[in-house]
Amino acid sequence: MNKSLLLLLSYLLLASSCTNPRKIATFQTSEFKISIDNKGLVNELLSVKTGKNHLALDTISPLLALRSKGKWLYAERANFTEGYLEIQFENDHTAVVAVVQKETHINFELLSLTQNDRVDLIQWGPYQTSIYKTIGETVGVVRDDGFAVGIQSLNIKTLGGYPWNESDRMPAFDIFKEGNLIDMHPNSDGSVLYRVEAAKPTKFGSSLQAYSRNRTAERVISDFKLEKIIAPPYEDGGVIGSKIALFGAPVSEALDYLGKIERAEGLPHPQIDGEWGKTSSKANAAYLITSFTEKTIDEALALTKKAGLNYLYHYGETFKSWGHFKLNKNEFPNGIQGLKNCVEKAEKQGIKLGTHCLSNFITTNDPYVTPIPDQRLAKAGRSLITEAIDAKAMEIPIASPDFFNATENNNLKTVQVGEELIRYSKVSESAPWKLLDCQRGAFNTRPSSHDKGDEISKLLDHAYKVFLTDARLTIELSERLAELYNNTGMRQISFDGLEGNRSTGLGTYGESLMPYTWYNNLKPSLKEHLIIDASRTTHFFWHIYSRMNWGEPWYAGFRESQTEYRFNNQAYFQRNFMPGMLGWFRMTATTSIEDIEWMLARAAGYNAGYALVADPESITQNKNSDRILELIGEWEKLRISNSFSDAQQEIMRDNSKEFSIEKTGGNTWDWWEVHSSIFTHTKKIRQPGEPLYSTFTFENPEKAEALHFVMTAVDSDISDLSFELNGYKEIQLPITLKKGQILKYTANNEATLYNSNWQQLKKIKMNPADFKLSSGVNTLSVDCRFEKASKEAALKLETRTQGEKTKVVLRD
């Protein structure tokens, strides 16, 4: 029999033996009631108004469990007296839990624990519920049609979730690994990918869970794709003081309850212009990312205003190095005061400034690395030098190859011995173990002699060729970063690469540690006007950040880069009460109006913000820039004001569809669907006399109208262009397209020829009657001559027809 199942059956037998469990305590808010029995089990998660118990009854839900020396311990008896639960466990462990009933929630805090030094960790729950419709795995709230039940960690050391990756799993859990799961509830609608943490799907419905760990002793763990790294001791009081809130509420009030819990418990509660960030419409405002300096700030502000945006984000060489966060003198020659002047200039124009932060990444030119490396650089592990070496030795004898011979995440191959950094090529294949082909005094540290028995440590690093921090250095970096924001008044930050803080050995705790420390060191006035985003989040970090915004623009075209990831994220955001964000999109010199409106329609459909990355050079080169920036402002204004109908938003979430708008009055726009099909005609090799044209079929679902099209010459000049529409009307296009040129026609008397940057070259006369389409299916045959024999040579053709126009009126 499965060991976990056997343990679970044994526990169920224990819980029901001798006498049946009975309620010893009931705790209640106006909406929610939870009951505990004399075996320390939760036996009610009740909606007060409906009387429905949302606890899954075919399993167990311990209020608290302990793990001692790798073995899970369960309560044998529980008693309640005057606000305190006393829970007695196996092996003579006794826990005292304070219980406080508040207006919106019920608090449970571990006050004391006998034999505390023998306990590895404590687990709150899992609290098994019958709810499965919406599972907010990060925020820790599950919802059905009418009621929500949630768990909240009330301090940073209480982690949402469970130590999923450790082998000794609690029998009360279904066996799942941390990360993406498939919803396996029999009544769920389709498959949903979950990032399991404080809540997770189960065969019963869902579970809620949190835990805390004693970190007083050094541990060896797996992380960073490394089989083992050392997690140093960390003094935070251990499991004593671990604290959670449980609550239940009508679904429509669940987010409001979370805000009330934050305020009642003194949790981070950042605001945007005085309103809680989680409810502010500005939380998912679009923003411009561009490089600017003290000299070019006016130009950047003008672009931001032209795009109708209120947030400008610096994306350049903000810092001389990562770690100390000293400003780059080339961009801000007057240092802090220079950046502060930029912030103040922006504020006067209603624009807030921010910058990018690669969290705890430390570049190799930072003073934390050179000329004297900080002892708080994160270390994967250590060994001892087995023979004395001088400052020129190219081989270093070590006692053990563990930690040094990793093939994953060993990007800088650097060790630290005292005040010297040394890089090495590899580890010898057998004992006696040696680091081979060493570079002494790496990163301008000083080569030194080292004695037998000296400690040698392998530094943790990242693929960006940077070092990372231990917990003490993470805290110091966070304080430095807060000082920068306090001194300049910047109001936006992005914690990118936040997972780097797992180098602390604290896992998700470490990920929250940096933004939490940073936030707590900010001036109170900054906390009232702040947008905090990140590429990822955790249960506790949910309270700090405004939004998660990831989707990178570097990997493919405007419509292709991480598209599936961007749109799958929207469902994740919605079920976790997070503002919608689509990530970064990069505007280049060749970005088209059609591409921009494709993205803007998606943003409107999902009510999601985005970042537009646009360097000044690309904006200048792209001759559509004025219209693109104008459209960004118009679409954003309609999106933020919720001016699109539910039906319009739903259809705009279809990635295969395109839409356009045109202003018709002061507060009125026409909105219509664009029916678009994209085809590629390539050079063919056929037998003599066989036609070389390509025939494409597309549908015009609207009434008969003239064809709109955009054609682009790819990797070759193209001549002898001809169309044949619906098998009978041949149209010769009197033009040669040079490589990269674009011919655009919008059903009037002229087509326009552009270069690849959308600079208008000339107009070409056209007859709209030649391009009349039928309603329904149409065929288009295309032929041309390619001047270059290239496998990539092609004629890219996009056909476009317009749907019926609908009025959209800007809401107040």
Side-chain angles (χ1 to χ4, degrees), residues 355-395:
T355 193
H356 199 65
C357 172
L358 280 170
S359 296
N360 71 326
F361 291 10
I362 298 182
T363 49
T364 57
N365 63 332
D366 189 82
Y368 283 126
V369 175
T370 182
I372 300 175
D374 197 288
Q375 296 300 314
R376 298 167 298 174
L377 294 174
K379 299 170 178 66
R382 60 183 177 273
S383 185
L384 299 176
I385 295 176
T386 56
E387 298 292 339
I389 59 171
D390 62 23
K392 296 182 180 180
M394 301 295 288
E395 295 184 353

Side-chain angles (χ1 to χ4, degrees), residues 153-156 258-259 261-263 265-271 276-278 512 515-517 519-520 527 532 540-545:
S153 298
L154 297 184
N155 50 39
I156 191 171
L258 289 169
I261 292 170
E262 285 185 354
R263 292 192 295 272
E265 300 302 328
L267 294 173
H269 190 72
Q271 298 179 310
W276 185 34
K278 292 297 189 297
S512 298
Y516 183 60
T517 305
Y519 180 83
N520 286 339
K527 298 177 183 179
I532 308 161
F540 190 82
F541 186 37
W542 186 94
H543 296 292
I544 303 169
Y545 83 123

Side-chain angles (χ1 to χ4, degrees), residues 100-234:
V100 179
Q101 299 175 94
K102 297 200 173 183
E103 179 185 355
T104 53
H105 59 287
I106 302 157
N107 286 353
F108 298 88
E109 180 180 5
L110 181 62
L111 293 185
S112 66
L113 184 64
T114 60
Q115 305 181 74
N116 178 36
D117 58 339
R118 299 187 57 168
V119 172
D120 308 326
L121 57 82
I122 65 164
Q123 180 74 43
W124 298 101
Y127 308 120
Q128 307 281 3
T129 89
S130 57
I131 295 173
Y132 60 86
K133 183 174 182 181
T134 303
I135 299 172
E137 65 268 47
T138 298
V139 72
V141 180
V142 297
R143 293 167 271 170
D144 63 13
D145 289 326
F147 201 68
V149 177
I151 187 172
Q152 292 292 284
S153 298
L154 297 184
N155 50 39
I156 191 171
K157 71 179 180 181
T158 306
L159 308 181
Y162 175 86
W164 311 99
N165 294 327
E166 297 179 20
S167 59
D168 46 331
R169 301 185 187 282
M170 183 184 293
F173 264 107
D174 295 312
I175 304 303
F176 282 116
K177 287 187 177 180
E178 181 181 18
N180 290 340
L181 302 178
I182 295 179
D183 186 350
M184 40 75 76
H185 192 279
N187 295 321
S188 62
D189 295 325
S191 294
V192 180
L193 291 179
Y194 288 92
R195 307 167 190 190
V196 169
E197 197 180 359
K200 84 175 184 71
T202 70
K203 63 183 179 182
F204 303 105
S206 58
S207 69
L208 302 168
Q209 55 272 325
Y211 73 102
S212 286
R213 189 188 297 276
N214 270 330
R215 302 180 186 273
T216 55
E218 181 179 283
R219 296 178 300 124
V220 177
I221 63 173
S222 298
D223 211 337
F224 285 91
K225 298 182 180 179
L226 300 174
E227 289 187 9
K228 55 182 181 178
I229 63 172
I230 289 177
Y234 186 69

Side-chain angles (χ1 to χ4, degrees), residues 320-458:
K320 181 180 179 181
S321 63
W322 292 97
H324 276 71
F325 301 116
K326 297 294 184 183
L327 293 174
N328 183 347
K329 290 290 186 180
N330 293 328
E331 308 226 340
F332 302 101
N334 293 300
I336 294 291
Q337 187 59 49
L339 179 53
K340 184 178 180 182
N341 292 342
C342 293
V343 170
E344 291 174 348
K345 183 176 287 190
E347 289 278 359
K348 290 178 181 178
Q349 300 183 45
I351 296 172
K352 294 180 174 62
L353 296 192
T355 193
H356 199 65
C357 172
L358 280 170
S359 296
N360 71 326
F361 291 10
I362 298 182
T363 49
T364 57
N365 63 332
D366 189 82
Y368 283 126
V369 175
T370 182
I372 300 175
D374 197 288
Q375 296 300 314
R376 298 167 298 174
L377 294 174
K379 299 170 178 66
R382 60 183 177 273
S383 185
L384 299 176
I385 295 176
T386 56
E387 298 292 339
I389 59 171
D390 62 23
K392 296 182 180 180
M394 301 295 288
E395 295 184 353
I396 300 177
I398 57 175
S400 170
D402 292 349
F403 307 112
F404 299 86
N405 56 3
T407 57
E408 295 280 352
N409 271 359
N410 191 2
N411 306 283
L412 290 170
K413 294 185 177 179
T414 302
V415 297
Q416 183 172 2
V417 188
E419 294 184 352
E420 182 185 4
L421 297 184
I422 302 168
R423 301 185 75 180
Y424 63 98
S425 171
K426 59 183 178 179
V427 181
S428 60
E429 295 183 359
S430 60
W433 305 109
K434 294 180 181 180
L435 303 182
L436 303 177
D437 192 18
C438 294
Q439 176 194 347
R440 302 299 301 275
F443 308 113
N444 295 316
T445 59
R446 186 171 64 87
S448 306
S449 59
H450 302 289
D451 294 331
K452 178 181 179 180
D454 281 354
E455 186 172 276
I456 181 169
S457 299
K458 171 67 179 68

Side-chain angles (χ1 to χ4, degrees), residues 224 319 321-325 356-366 368-369 377-378 409 411-412 460-470 473-474 477-478 481 495-503 514 535-536 552:
F224 285 91
F319 303 109
S321 63
W322 292 97
H324 276 71
F325 301 116
H356 199 65
C357 172
L358 280 170
S359 296
N360 71 326
F361 291 10
I362 298 182
T363 49
T364 57
N365 63 332
D366 189 82
Y368 283 126
V369 175
L377 294 174
N409 271 359
N411 306 283
L412 290 170
L460 271 175
D461 58 34
H462 185 275
Y464 282 21
K465 299 287 188 179
V466 292
F467 294 116
L468 301 168
T469 58
D470 72 5
L473 193 51
T474 283
L477 260 65
S478 308
L481 196 59
F495 284 100
D496 195 6
L498 201 58
E499 66 278 7
N501 283 284
R502 299 178 74 93
S503 63
M514 185 172 195
S535 58
R536 57 188 282 137
E552 298 181 358

Side-chain angles (χ1 to χ4, degrees), residues 248-264:
V251 166
S252 60
E253 299 178 37
L255 181 58
D256 182 54
Y257 269 55
L258 289 169
K260 290 178 179 178
I261 292 170
E262 285 185 354
R263 292 192 295 272

